[in-house]
Amino acid sequence: MPVYFVSHGGPNLLDDTEYPPTGSIGRGLRAIGDEIRALEPRGMVVVSGHWEAGPSSLQVSGTSEQPLIYDFYGFPASYYKQQFQHTVDPQLTSKVAELFKARNIPIETVARGLDHGAWVVLKKAGLANAPFPIIQLSLYKNDSMDMHVQLGETLKSLRSEGIVVVGSGMAVHNLRDLFGSRSTSLRPYVEPFDKQIEQAVLGPLSERKEGVLQLAKSKILRQAHPTLEHLMPLHVAVGAAGDQSKATKMLEAYQVSMSWSCYRFD
């Protein structure tokens, strides 16, 4: 099964006027969802920039159905009534937990619904009522790109068992610049940092891991990502992909201080 990195945005992604299905973002995300459905996976494990556990420990959910998490603020009331119908799989949750325990990585199984970094983008992609279970795994609560690549590497074996791994973040994510100015012009760091990611991900397979780790040294990293939790799902995806999976850029779109780039690794 392939691995995906998707950029997820806020709950207003579900506004078909602001993000029309025929627009580049809506169309690109729906293409990803249609592709995943056609693969007929046995399940999906998603990590999002909105769930961090401990500095060296993880959490995983999916043993029982739980309410969605509406972890966003100041939006119209209708967004807090959105639903995303999906199933979970306790066996898949247990499998994920065992993979990390085998590497002596502390992991806790918790009762937790999908956060908006997972369910909003999956809904926009048309994966509500998908015929496969969806469970969520946390990130670490740290800025270690290497640890997050290793997190993905731990998930890699699931691919041969019919499980799709999805990292959900943003290629560029600066909310301060998005909301802190009336200017809607593209910030000067957005496209350059997006191209640094692209060069790392689409370059030689043997250099991809080192390429994404080198993003830590980018002079514009903290402009593109004042905090790193929305970048770490990319590193998870790269780890799960390994060095034998070709990458394809499936979506490229820029918006003020955000990049919506998405990738598939197969």
Side-chain angles (χ1 to χ4, degrees), residues 1-2 4 6 21-22 25-41 44 84 121-132 164 166 250 264:
M1 286 288 162
Y4 293 86
V6 297
T22 56
I25 295 171
R27 188 174 64 250
L29 292 174
R30 185 57 186 248
I32 292 172
D34 289 347
E35 185 174 280
I36 291 174
R37 278 187 180 270
L39 291 167
E40 298 183 347
M44 174 186 290
F84 177 70
V121 69
L122 294 179
K123 184 168 184 174
K124 189 69 171 184
L127 290 174
N129 292 304
F132 52 82
V164 172
V166 177
M250 299 192 69
R264 179 185 70 234

PDB file of all heavy atoms in Angstrom, residues 1-2 4 6 21-22 25-41 44 84 121-132 164 166 250 264:
ATOM      1  N   MET A   1       0.833  -1.192   0.000  1.00  0.00           N
ATOM      2  CA  MET A   1       0.000   0.000   0.000  1.00  0.00           C
ATOM      3  C   MET A   1       0.879   1.258   0.000  1.00  0.00           C
ATOM      4  O   MET A   1       1.948   1.269   0.604  1.00  0.00           O
ATOM      5  CB  MET A   1      -0.918   0.020   1.220  1.00  0.00           C
ATOM      6  CG  MET A   1      -2.079  -0.948   1.135  1.00  0.00           C
ATOM      7  SD  MET A   1      -3.304  -0.383  -0.072  1.00  0.00           S
ATOM      8  CE  MET A   1      -4.192  -1.919  -0.338  1.00  0.00           C
ATOM      9  N   PRO A   2       0.427   2.295  -0.627  1.00  0.00           N
ATOM     10  CA  PRO A   2       1.190   3.540  -0.606  1.00  0.00           C
ATOM     11  C   PRO A   2       1.089   4.256   0.734  1.00  0.00           C
ATOM     12  O   PRO A   2       0.289   3.896   1.604  1.00  0.00           O
ATOM     13  CB  PRO A   2       0.553   4.374  -1.727  1.00  0.00           C
ATOM     14  CG  PRO A   2      -0.787   3.789  -1.954  1.00  0.00           C
ATOM     15  CD  PRO A   2      -0.737   2.359  -1.503  1.00  0.00           C
ATOM     16  N   TYR A   4       0.845   8.363   2.231  1.00  0.00           N
ATOM     17  CA  TYR A   4       0.486   9.704   1.786  1.00  0.00           C
ATOM     18  C   TYR A   4       0.894  10.739   2.823  1.00  0.00           C
ATOM     19  O   TYR A   4       0.815  10.501   4.026  1.00  0.00           O
ATOM     20  CB  TYR A   4      -1.029   9.822   1.570  1.00  0.00           C
ATOM     21  CG  TYR A   4      -1.555   8.991   0.429  1.00  0.00           C
ATOM     22  CD1 TYR A   4      -1.904   7.657   0.626  1.00  0.00           C
ATOM     23  CD2 TYR A   4      -1.694   9.516  -0.850  1.00  0.00           C
ATOM     24  CE1 TYR A   4      -2.377   6.867  -0.421  1.00  0.00           C
ATOM     25  CE2 TYR A   4      -2.166   8.758  -1.902  1.00  0.00           C
ATOM     26  CZ  TYR A   4      -2.503   7.433  -1.678  1.00  0.00           C
ATOM     27  OH  TYR A   4      -2.972   6.662  -2.719  1.00  0.00           O
ATOM     28  N   VAL A   6      -0.560  14.536   3.431  1.00  0.00           N
ATOM     29  CA  VAL A   6      -1.580  15.482   2.992  1.00  0.00           C
ATOM     30  C   VAL A   6      -1.518  16.732   3.853  1.00  0.00           C
ATOM     31  O   VAL A   6      -1.170  16.682   5.033  1.00  0.00           O
ATOM     32  CB  VAL A   6      -3.003  14.875   3.045  1.00  0.00           C
ATOM     33  CG1 VAL A   6      -3.114  13.696   2.087  1.00  0.00           C
ATOM     34  CG2 VAL A   6      -3.380  14.465   4.460  1.00  0.00           C
ATOM     35  N   PRO A  21     -15.157  22.055  -4.808  1.00  0.00           N
ATOM     36  CA  PRO A  21     -14.682  20.737  -5.250  1.00  0.00           C
ATOM     37  C   PRO A  21     -13.959  20.782  -6.587  1.00  0.00           C
ATOM     38  O   PRO A  21     -13.126  19.921  -6.866  1.00  0.00           O
ATOM     39  CB  PRO A  21     -15.977  19.918  -5.349  1.00  0.00           C
ATOM     40  CG  PRO A  21     -16.930  20.597  -4.423  1.00  0.00           C
ATOM     41  CD  PRO A  21     -16.601  22.056  -4.501  1.00  0.00           C
ATOM     42  N   THR A  22     -14.271  21.788  -7.404  1.00  0.00           N
ATOM     43  CA  THR A  22     -13.623  21.903  -8.713  1.00  0.00           C
ATOM     44  C   THR A  22     -12.344  22.722  -8.659  1.00  0.00           C
ATOM     45  O   THR A  22     -11.631  22.820  -9.657  1.00  0.00           O
ATOM     46  CB  THR A  22     -14.588  22.535  -9.723  1.00  0.00           C
ATOM     47  OG1 THR A  22     -15.032  23.806  -9.199  1.00  0.00           O
ATOM     48  CG2 THR A  22     -15.782  21.645  -9.977  1.00  0.00           C
ATOM     49  N   ILE A  25      -7.418  22.714  -4.790  1.00  0.00           N
ATOM     50  CA  ILE A  25      -7.282  22.022  -3.506  1.00  0.00           C
ATOM     51  C   ILE A  25      -8.359  20.963  -3.343  1.00  0.00           C
ATOM     52  O   ILE A  25      -8.075  19.801  -3.032  1.00  0.00           O
ATOM     53  CB  ILE A  25      -7.319  23.037  -2.349  1.00  0.00           C
ATOM     54  CG1 ILE A  25      -6.089  23.952  -2.431  1.00  0.00           C
ATOM     55  CG2 ILE A  25      -7.369  22.321  -1.000  1.00  0.00           C
ATOM     56  CD1 ILE A  25      -6.127  25.126  -1.475  1.00  0.00           C
ATOM     57  N   GLY A  26      -9.607  21.341  -3.586  1.00  0.00           N
ATOM     58  CA  GLY A  26     -10.701  20.376  -3.473  1.00  0.00           C
ATOM     59  C   GLY A  26     -10.544  19.212  -4.434  1.00  0.00           C
ATOM     60  O   GLY A  26     -10.738  18.046  -4.071  1.00  0.00           O
ATOM     61  N   ARG A  27     -10.170  19.519  -5.660  1.00  0.00           N
ATOM     62  CA  ARG A  27     -10.007  18.473  -6.667  1.00  0.00           C
ATOM     63  C   ARG A  27      -8.834  17.556  -6.333  1.00  0.00           C
ATOM     64  O   ARG A  27      -8.912  16.330  -6.479  1.00  0.00           O
ATOM     65  CB  ARG A  27      -9.798  19.131  -8.040  1.00  0.00           C
ATOM     66  CG  ARG A  27      -9.800  18.156  -9.210  1.00  0.00           C
ATOM     67  CD  ARG A  27      -9.747  18.891 -10.542  1.00  0.00           C
ATOM     68  NE  ARG A  27      -8.505  19.644 -10.696  1.00  0.00           N
ATOM     69  CZ  ARG A  27      -8.414  20.967 -10.684  1.00  0.00           C
ATOM     70  NH1 ARG A  27      -9.497  21.713 -10.503  1.00  0.00           N
ATOM     71  NH2 ARG A  27      -7.242  21.567 -10.834  1.00  0.00           N
ATOM     72  N   GLY A  28      -7.738  18.161  -5.863  1.00  0.00           N
ATOM     73  CA  GLY A  28      -6.562  17.361  -5.537  1.00  0.00           C
ATOM     74  C   GLY A  28      -6.797  16.424  -4.374  1.00  0.00           C
ATOM     75  O   GLY A  28      -6.387  15.252  -4.407  1.00  0.00           O
ATOM     76  N   LEU A  29      -7.472  16.922  -3.331  1.00  0.00           N
ATOM     77  CA  LEU A  29      -7.748  16.068  -2.172  1.00  0.00           C
ATOM     78  C   LEU A  29      -8.742  14.968  -2.524  1.00  0.00           C
ATOM     79  O   LEU A  29      -8.604  13.819  -2.066  1.00  0.00           O
ATOM     80  CB  LEU A  29      -8.264  16.911  -1.007  1.00  0.00           C
ATOM     81  CG  LEU A  29      -7.231  17.868  -0.390  1.00  0.00           C
ATOM     82  CD1 LEU A  29      -7.886  18.758   0.656  1.00  0.00           C
ATOM     83  CD2 LEU A  29      -6.064  17.096   0.223  1.00  0.00           C
ATOM     84  N   ARG A  30      -9.727  15.298  -3.352  1.00  0.00           N
ATOM     85  CA  ARG A  30     -10.695  14.268  -3.745  1.00  0.00           C
ATOM     86  C   ARG A  30     -10.019  13.183  -4.583  1.00  0.00           C
ATOM     87  O   ARG A  30     -10.352  11.988  -4.454  1.00  0.00           O
ATOM     88  CB  ARG A  30     -11.853  14.887  -4.517  1.00  0.00           C
ATOM     89  CG  ARG A  30     -12.965  13.888  -4.855  1.00  0.00           C
ATOM     90  CD  ARG A  30     -13.507  13.229  -3.576  1.00  0.00           C
ATOM     91  NE  ARG A  30     -14.462  12.180  -3.857  1.00  0.00           N
ATOM     92  CZ  ARG A  30     -15.763  12.265  -3.551  1.00  0.00           C
ATOM     93  NH1 ARG A  30     -16.236  13.355  -2.957  1.00  0.00           N
ATOM     94  NH2 ARG A  30     -16.575  11.271  -3.809  1.00  0.00           N
ATOM     95  N   ALA A  31      -9.050  13.565  -5.411  1.00  0.00           N
ATOM     96  CA  ALA A  31      -8.321  12.570  -6.197  1.00  0.00           C
ATOM     97  C   ALA A  31      -7.572  11.601  -5.284  1.00  0.00           C
ATOM     98  O   ALA A  31      -7.508  10.393  -5.551  1.00  0.00           O
ATOM     99  CB  ALA A  31      -7.351  13.263  -7.154  1.00  0.00           C
ATOM    100  N   ILE A  32      -7.019  12.129  -4.199  1.00  0.00           N
ATOM    101  CA  ILE A  32      -6.333  11.263  -3.236  1.00  0.00           C
ATOM    102  C   ILE A  32      -7.325  10.300  -2.589  1.00  0.00           C
ATOM    103  O   ILE A  32      -7.069   9.102  -2.459  1.00  0.00           O
ATOM    104  CB  ILE A  32      -5.607  12.113  -2.183  1.00  0.00           C
ATOM    105  CG1 ILE A  32      -4.443  12.869  -2.822  1.00  0.00           C
ATOM    106  CG2 ILE A  32      -5.113  11.242  -1.024  1.00  0.00           C
ATOM    107  CD1 ILE A  32      -3.783  13.889  -1.917  1.00  0.00           C
ATOM    108  N   GLY A  33      -8.475  10.837  -2.176  1.00  0.00           N
ATOM    109  CA  GLY A  33      -9.489   9.980  -1.552  1.00  0.00           C
ATOM    110  C   GLY A  33      -9.996   8.909  -2.495  1.00  0.00           C
ATOM    111  O   GLY A  33     -10.152   7.737  -2.101  1.00  0.00           O
ATOM    112  N   ASP A  34     -10.257   9.289  -3.743  1.00  0.00           N
ATOM    113  CA  ASP A  34     -10.727   8.309  -4.730  1.00  0.00           C
ATOM    114  C   ASP A  34      -9.677   7.225  -4.958  1.00  0.00           C
ATOM    115  O   ASP A  34     -10.015   6.040  -5.115  1.00  0.00           O
ATOM    116  CB  ASP A  34     -11.057   9.005  -6.046  1.00  0.00           C
ATOM    117  CG  ASP A  34     -12.312   9.868  -5.963  1.00  0.00           C
ATOM    118  OD1 ASP A  34     -13.064   9.741  -4.981  1.00  0.00           O
ATOM    119  OD2 ASP A  34     -12.526  10.670  -6.898  1.00  0.00           O
ATOM    120  N   GLU A  35      -8.426   7.632  -4.984  1.00  0.00           N
ATOM    121  CA  GLU A  35      -7.341   6.677  -5.185  1.00  0.00           C
ATOM    122  C   GLU A  35      -7.271   5.690  -4.026  1.00  0.00           C
ATOM    123  O   GLU A  35      -7.107   4.480  -4.231  1.00  0.00           O
ATOM    124  CB  GLU A  35      -6.025   7.443  -5.326  1.00  0.00           C
ATOM    125  CG  GLU A  35      -4.828   6.590  -5.658  1.00  0.00           C
ATOM    126  CD  GLU A  35      -3.604   7.440  -5.923  1.00  0.00           C
ATOM    127  OE1 GLU A  35      -3.491   7.976  -7.049  1.00  0.00           O
ATOM    128  OE2 GLU A  35      -2.775   7.570  -5.003  1.00  0.00           O
ATOM    129  N   ILE A  36      -7.404   6.194  -2.802  1.00  0.00           N
ATOM    130  CA  ILE A  36      -7.348   5.310  -1.629  1.00  0.00           C
ATOM    131  C   ILE A  36      -8.514   4.328  -1.644  1.00  0.00           C
ATOM    132  O   ILE A  36      -8.346   3.130  -1.371  1.00  0.00           O
ATOM    133  CB  ILE A  36      -7.329   6.139  -0.330  1.00  0.00           C
ATOM    134  CG1 ILE A  36      -5.998   6.896  -0.208  1.00  0.00           C
ATOM    135  CG2 ILE A  36      -7.541   5.246   0.888  1.00  0.00           C
ATOM    136  CD1 ILE A  36      -5.924   7.851   0.964  1.00  0.00           C
ATOM    137  N   ARG A  37      -9.707   4.805  -1.956  1.00  0.00           N
ATOM    138  CA  ARG A  37     -10.858   3.888  -2.048  1.00  0.00           C
ATOM    139  C   ARG A  37     -10.601   2.784  -3.065  1.00  0.00           C
ATOM    140  O   ARG A  37     -10.902   1.601  -2.815  1.00  0.00           O
ATOM    141  CB  ARG A  37     -12.119   4.658  -2.430  1.00  0.00           C
ATOM    142  CG  ARG A  37     -12.819   5.357  -1.277  1.00  0.00           C
ATOM    143  CD  ARG A  37     -14.139   5.934  -1.728  1.00  0.00           C
ATOM    144  NE  ARG A  37     -14.845   6.612  -0.658  1.00  0.00           N
ATOM    145  CZ  ARG A  37     -15.712   6.038   0.164  1.00  0.00           C
ATOM    146  NH1 ARG A  37     -15.983   4.744   0.015  1.00  0.00           N
ATOM    147  NH2 ARG A  37     -16.326   6.730   1.114  1.00  0.00           N
ATOM    148  N   ALA A  38     -10.041   3.156  -4.211  1.00  0.00           N
ATOM    149  CA  ALA A  38      -9.803   2.172  -5.271  1.00  0.00           C
ATOM    150  C   ALA A  38      -8.784   1.120  -4.857  1.00  0.00           C
ATOM    151  O   ALA A  38      -8.804  -0.010  -5.370  1.00  0.00           O
ATOM    152  CB  ALA A  38      -9.345   2.885  -6.544  1.00  0.00           C
ATOM    153  N   LEU A  39      -7.911   1.457  -3.920  1.00  0.00           N
ATOM    154  CA  LEU A  39      -6.909   0.502  -3.440  1.00  0.00           C
ATOM    155  C   LEU A  39      -7.526  -0.605  -2.587  1.00  0.00           C
ATOM    156  O   LEU A  39      -6.909  -1.648  -2.391  1.00  0.00           O
ATOM    157  CB  LEU A  39      -5.846   1.240  -2.615  1.00  0.00           C
ATOM    158  CG  LEU A  39      -4.910   2.181  -3.363  1.00  0.00           C
ATOM    159  CD1 LEU A  39      -4.149   3.051  -2.380  1.00  0.00           C
ATOM    160  CD2 LEU A  39      -3.946   1.387  -4.238  1.00  0.00           C
ATOM    161  N   GLU A  40      -8.720  -0.349  -2.048  1.00  0.00           N
ATOM    162  CA  GLU A  40      -9.403  -1.278  -1.156  1.00  0.00           C
ATOM    163  C   GLU A  40      -8.493  -1.740  -0.015  1.00  0.00           C
ATOM    164  O   GLU A  40      -8.273  -2.938   0.203  1.00  0.00           O
ATOM    165  CB  GLU A  40      -9.935  -2.486  -1.937  1.00  0.00           C
ATOM    166  CG  GLU A  40     -10.961  -2.110  -3.005  1.00  0.00           C
ATOM    167  CD  GLU A  40     -11.535  -3.309  -3.725  1.00  0.00           C
ATOM    168  OE1 GLU A  40     -10.975  -4.430  -3.586  1.00  0.00           O
ATOM    169  OE2 GLU A  40     -12.543  -3.139  -4.418  1.00  0.00           O
ATOM    170  N   PRO A  41      -7.979  -0.780   0.767  1.00  0.00           N
ATOM    171  CA  PRO A  41      -7.101  -1.164   1.883  1.00  0.00           C
ATOM    172  C   PRO A  41      -7.863  -1.870   2.988  1.00  0.00           C
ATOM    173  O   PRO A  41      -9.089  -1.775   3.083  1.00  0.00           O
ATOM    174  CB  PRO A  41      -6.566   0.185   2.367  1.00  0.00           C
ATOM    175  CG  PRO A  41      -7.651   1.155   2.018  1.00  0.00           C
ATOM    176  CD  PRO A  41      -8.215   0.668   0.713  1.00  0.00           C
ATOM    177  N   MET A  44      -6.576   2.099   7.729  1.00  0.00           N
ATOM    178  CA  MET A  44      -5.746   3.303   7.616  1.00  0.00           C
ATOM    179  C   MET A  44      -5.255   3.697   9.004  1.00  0.00           C
ATOM    180  O   MET A  44      -6.007   3.679   9.980  1.00  0.00           O
ATOM    181  CB  MET A  44      -6.556   4.460   7.021  1.00  0.00           C
ATOM    182  CG  MET A  44      -5.813   5.799   6.995  1.00  0.00           C
ATOM    183  SD  MET A  44      -6.850   7.190   6.447  1.00  0.00           S
ATOM    184  CE  MET A  44      -7.049   6.765   4.713  1.00  0.00           C
ATOM    185  N   PHE A  84     -18.156  12.864  10.730  1.00  0.00           N
ATOM    186  CA  PHE A  84     -17.334  12.063   9.821  1.00  0.00           C
ATOM    187  C   PHE A  84     -17.535  10.603  10.204  1.00  0.00           C
ATOM    188  O   PHE A  84     -16.936  10.107  11.161  1.00  0.00           O
ATOM    189  CB  PHE A  84     -15.861  12.465   9.920  1.00  0.00           C
ATOM    190  CG  PHE A  84     -14.946  11.620   9.064  1.00  0.00           C
ATOM    191  CD1 PHE A  84     -14.970  11.722   7.683  1.00  0.00           C
ATOM    192  CD2 PHE A  84     -14.082  10.704   9.653  1.00  0.00           C
ATOM    193  CE1 PHE A  84     -14.135  10.940   6.900  1.00  0.00           C
ATOM    194  CE2 PHE A  84     -13.244   9.927   8.884  1.00  0.00           C
ATOM    195  CZ  PHE A  84     -13.275  10.032   7.501  1.00  0.00           C
ATOM    196  N   VAL A 121      -9.731  16.685   6.618  1.00  0.00           N
ATOM    197  CA  VAL A 121      -9.148  16.433   5.296  1.00  0.00           C
ATOM    198  C   VAL A 121      -9.652  15.113   4.709  1.00  0.00           C
ATOM    199  O   VAL A 121      -9.873  15.000   3.494  1.00  0.00           O
ATOM    200  CB  VAL A 121      -7.606  16.468   5.369  1.00  0.00           C
ATOM    201  CG1 VAL A 121      -7.040  15.295   6.153  1.00  0.00           C
ATOM    202  CG2 VAL A 121      -7.010  16.546   3.976  1.00  0.00           C
ATOM    203  N   LEU A 122      -9.879  14.117   5.566  1.00  0.00           N
ATOM    204  CA  LEU A 122     -10.395  12.846   5.049  1.00  0.00           C
ATOM    205  C   LEU A 122     -11.830  13.014   4.553  1.00  0.00           C
ATOM    206  O   LEU A 122     -12.231  12.393   3.560  1.00  0.00           O
ATOM    207  CB  LEU A 122     -10.318  11.765   6.129  1.00  0.00           C
ATOM    208  CG  LEU A 122      -8.902  11.358   6.568  1.00  0.00           C
ATOM    209  CD1 LEU A 122      -8.971  10.296   7.653  1.00  0.00           C
ATOM    210  CD2 LEU A 122      -8.067  10.872   5.379  1.00  0.00           C
ATOM    211  N   LYS A 123     -12.593  13.869   5.215  1.00  0.00           N
ATOM    212  CA  LYS A 123     -13.952  14.130   4.739  1.00  0.00           C
ATOM    213  C   LYS A 123     -13.922  14.869   3.412  1.00  0.00           C
ATOM    214  O   LYS A 123     -14.677  14.545   2.489  1.00  0.00           O
ATOM    215  CB  LYS A 123     -14.735  14.922   5.781  1.00  0.00           C
ATOM    216  CG  LYS A 123     -16.198  15.146   5.384  1.00  0.00           C
ATOM    217  CD  LYS A 123     -17.026  15.678   6.543  1.00  0.00           C
ATOM    218  CE  LYS A 123     -18.497  15.781   6.122  1.00  0.00           C
ATOM    219  NZ  LYS A 123     -19.370  16.171   7.270  1.00  0.00           N
ATOM    220  N   LYS A 124     -13.047  15.875   3.299  1.00  0.00           N
ATOM    221  CA  LYS A 124     -12.932  16.605   2.031  1.00  0.00           C
ATOM    222  C   LYS A 124     -12.487  15.673   0.913  1.00  0.00           C
ATOM    223  O   LYS A 124     -12.876  15.845  -0.256  1.00  0.00           O
ATOM    224  CB  LYS A 124     -11.938  17.755   2.173  1.00  0.00           C
ATOM    225  CG  LYS A 124     -11.912  18.714   0.984  1.00  0.00           C
ATOM    226  CD  LYS A 124     -13.191  19.530   0.899  1.00  0.00           C
ATOM    227  CE  LYS A 124     -13.094  20.638  -0.146  1.00  0.00           C
ATOM    228  NZ  LYS A 124     -14.322  21.488  -0.156  1.00  0.00           N
ATOM    229  N   ALA A 125     -11.708  14.672   1.267  1.00  0.00           N
ATOM    230  CA  ALA A 125     -11.231  13.694   0.280  1.00  0.00           C
ATOM    231  C   ALA A 125     -12.293  12.668  -0.092  1.00  0.00           C
ATOM    232  O   ALA A 125     -12.055  11.813  -0.944  1.00  0.00           O
ATOM    233  CB  ALA A 125      -9.989  12.987   0.810  1.00  0.00           C
ATOM    234  N   GLY A 126     -13.460  12.739   0.551  1.00  0.00           N
ATOM    235  CA  GLY A 126     -14.550  11.826   0.217  1.00  0.00           C
ATOM    236  C   GLY A 126     -14.467  10.487   0.904  1.00  0.00           C
ATOM    237  O   GLY A 126     -15.034   9.502   0.411  1.00  0.00           O
ATOM    238  N   LEU A 127     -13.824  10.445   2.064  1.00  0.00           N
ATOM    239  CA  LEU A 127     -13.619   9.160   2.740  1.00  0.00           C
ATOM    240  C   LEU A 127     -14.546   8.939   3.934  1.00  0.00           C
ATOM    241  O   LEU A 127     -14.332   8.014   4.716  1.00  0.00           O
ATOM    242  CB  LEU A 127     -12.156   9.022   3.171  1.00  0.00           C
ATOM    243  CG  LEU A 127     -11.180   8.836   1.993  1.00  0.00           C
ATOM    244  CD1 LEU A 127      -9.737   8.859   2.473  1.00  0.00           C
ATOM    245  CD2 LEU A 127     -11.476   7.547   1.240  1.00  0.00           C
ATOM    246  N   ALA A 128     -15.585   9.766   4.064  1.00  0.00           N
ATOM    247  CA  ALA A 128     -16.623   9.446   5.050  1.00  0.00           C
ATOM    248  C   ALA A 128     -17.295   8.139   4.645  1.00  0.00           C
ATOM    249  O   ALA A 128     -17.478   7.854   3.457  1.00  0.00           O
ATOM    250  CB  ALA A 128     -17.654  10.568   5.116  1.00  0.00           C
ATOM    251  N   ASN A 129     -17.623   7.326   5.623  1.00  0.00           N
ATOM    252  CA  ASN A 129     -18.238   6.011   5.377  1.00  0.00           C
ATOM    253  C   ASN A 129     -17.353   5.108   4.524  1.00  0.00           C
ATOM    254  O   ASN A 129     -17.850   4.270   3.762  1.00  0.00           O
ATOM    255  CB  ASN A 129     -19.611   6.167   4.712  1.00  0.00           C
ATOM    256  CG  ASN A 129     -20.631   6.800   5.634  1.00  0.00           C
ATOM    257  OD1 ASN A 129     -20.866   6.305   6.733  1.00  0.00           O
ATOM    258  ND2 ASN A 129     -21.234   7.900   5.195  1.00  0.00           N
ATOM    259  N   ALA A 130     -16.049   5.277   4.663  1.00  0.00           N
ATOM    260  CA  ALA A 130     -15.124   4.413   3.923  1.00  0.00           C
ATOM    261  C   ALA A 130     -15.300   2.964   4.371  1.00  0.00           C
ATOM    262  O   ALA A 130     -15.587   2.703   5.548  1.00  0.00           O
ATOM    263  CB  ALA A 130     -13.688   4.864   4.149  1.00  0.00           C
ATOM    264  N   PRO A 131     -15.110   2.002   3.464  1.00  0.00           N
ATOM    265  CA  PRO A 131     -15.308   0.590   3.813  1.00  0.00           C
ATOM    266  C   PRO A 131     -14.102  -0.037   4.497  1.00  0.00           C
ATOM    267  O   PRO A 131     -13.866  -1.234   4.375  1.00  0.00           O
ATOM    268  CB  PRO A 131     -15.564  -0.049   2.449  1.00  0.00           C
ATOM    269  CG  PRO A 131     -14.763   0.781   1.501  1.00  0.00           C
ATOM    270  CD  PRO A 131     -14.849   2.188   2.028  1.00  0.00           C
ATOM    271  N   PHE A 132     -13.351   0.775   5.216  1.00  0.00           N
ATOM    272  CA  PHE A 132     -12.200   0.268   5.974  1.00  0.00           C
ATOM    273  C   PHE A 132     -12.073   1.104   7.248  1.00  0.00           C
ATOM    274  O   PHE A 132     -12.501   2.261   7.301  1.00  0.00           O
ATOM    275  CB  PHE A 132     -10.916   0.345   5.147  1.00  0.00           C
ATOM    276  CG  PHE A 132     -10.639   1.700   4.542  1.00  0.00           C
ATOM    277  CD1 PHE A 132     -10.038   2.716   5.280  1.00  0.00           C
ATOM    278  CD2 PHE A 132     -10.991   1.968   3.235  1.00  0.00           C
ATOM    279  CE1 PHE A 132      -9.790   3.960   4.728  1.00  0.00           C
ATOM    280  CE2 PHE A 132     -10.760   3.213   2.661  1.00  0.00           C
ATOM    281  CZ  PHE A 132     -10.155   4.203   3.412  1.00  0.00           C
ATOM    282  N   VAL A 164      -2.963   1.538   4.768  1.00  0.00           N
ATOM    283  CA  VAL A 164      -2.496   2.820   4.246  1.00  0.00           C
ATOM    284  C   VAL A 164      -2.068   3.700   5.421  1.00  0.00           C
ATOM    285  O   VAL A 164      -2.802   3.831   6.405  1.00  0.00           O
ATOM    286  CB  VAL A 164      -3.600   3.531   3.435  1.00  0.00           C
ATOM    287  CG1 VAL A 164      -3.183   4.948   3.058  1.00  0.00           C
ATOM    288  CG2 VAL A 164      -3.936   2.743   2.183  1.00  0.00           C
ATOM    289  N   VAL A 166      -1.098   7.533   6.559  1.00  0.00           N
ATOM    290  CA  VAL A 166      -1.305   8.918   6.138  1.00  0.00           C
ATOM    291  C   VAL A 166      -0.717   9.859   7.182  1.00  0.00           C
ATOM    292  O   VAL A 166      -1.071   9.785   8.360  1.00  0.00           O
ATOM    293  CB  VAL A 166      -2.799   9.236   5.945  1.00  0.00           C
ATOM    294  CG1 VAL A 166      -2.993  10.712   5.582  1.00  0.00           C
ATOM    295  CG2 VAL A 166      -3.409   8.347   4.872  1.00  0.00           C
ATOM    296  N   MET A 250       1.168  15.234  -5.578  1.00  0.00           N
ATOM    297  CA  MET A 250      -0.204  15.121  -6.055  1.00  0.00           C
ATOM    298  C   MET A 250      -0.973  16.436  -5.994  1.00  0.00           C
ATOM    299  O   MET A 250      -2.034  16.558  -6.616  1.00  0.00           O
ATOM    300  CB  MET A 250      -0.944  14.054  -5.253  1.00  0.00           C
ATOM    301  CG  MET A 250      -0.327  12.675  -5.375  1.00  0.00           C
ATOM    302  SD  MET A 250      -1.413  11.401  -4.717  1.00  0.00           S
ATOM    303  CE  MET A 250      -2.748  11.389  -5.919  1.00  0.00           C
ATOM    304  N   ARG A 264       2.356  11.321  -2.581  1.00  0.00           N
ATOM    305  CA  ARG A 264       2.141   9.878  -2.467  1.00  0.00           C
ATOM    306  C   ARG A 264       3.480   9.181  -2.611  1.00  0.00           C
ATOM    307  O   ARG A 264       4.298   9.554  -3.454  1.00  0.00           O
ATOM    308  CB  ARG A 264       1.188   9.369  -3.561  1.00  0.00           C
ATOM    309  CG  ARG A 264       0.951   7.858  -3.498  1.00  0.00           C
ATOM    310  CD  ARG A 264       0.105   7.375  -4.669  1.00  0.00           C
ATOM    311  NE  ARG A 264       0.841   7.438  -5.929  1.00  0.00           N
ATOM    312  CZ  ARG A 264       0.415   8.075  -7.024  1.00  0.00           C
ATOM    313  NH1 ARG A 264      -0.729   8.726  -7.015  1.00  0.00           N
ATOM    314  NH2 ARG A 264       1.143   8.088  -8.115  1.00  0.00           N
TER     315      ARG A 264
END
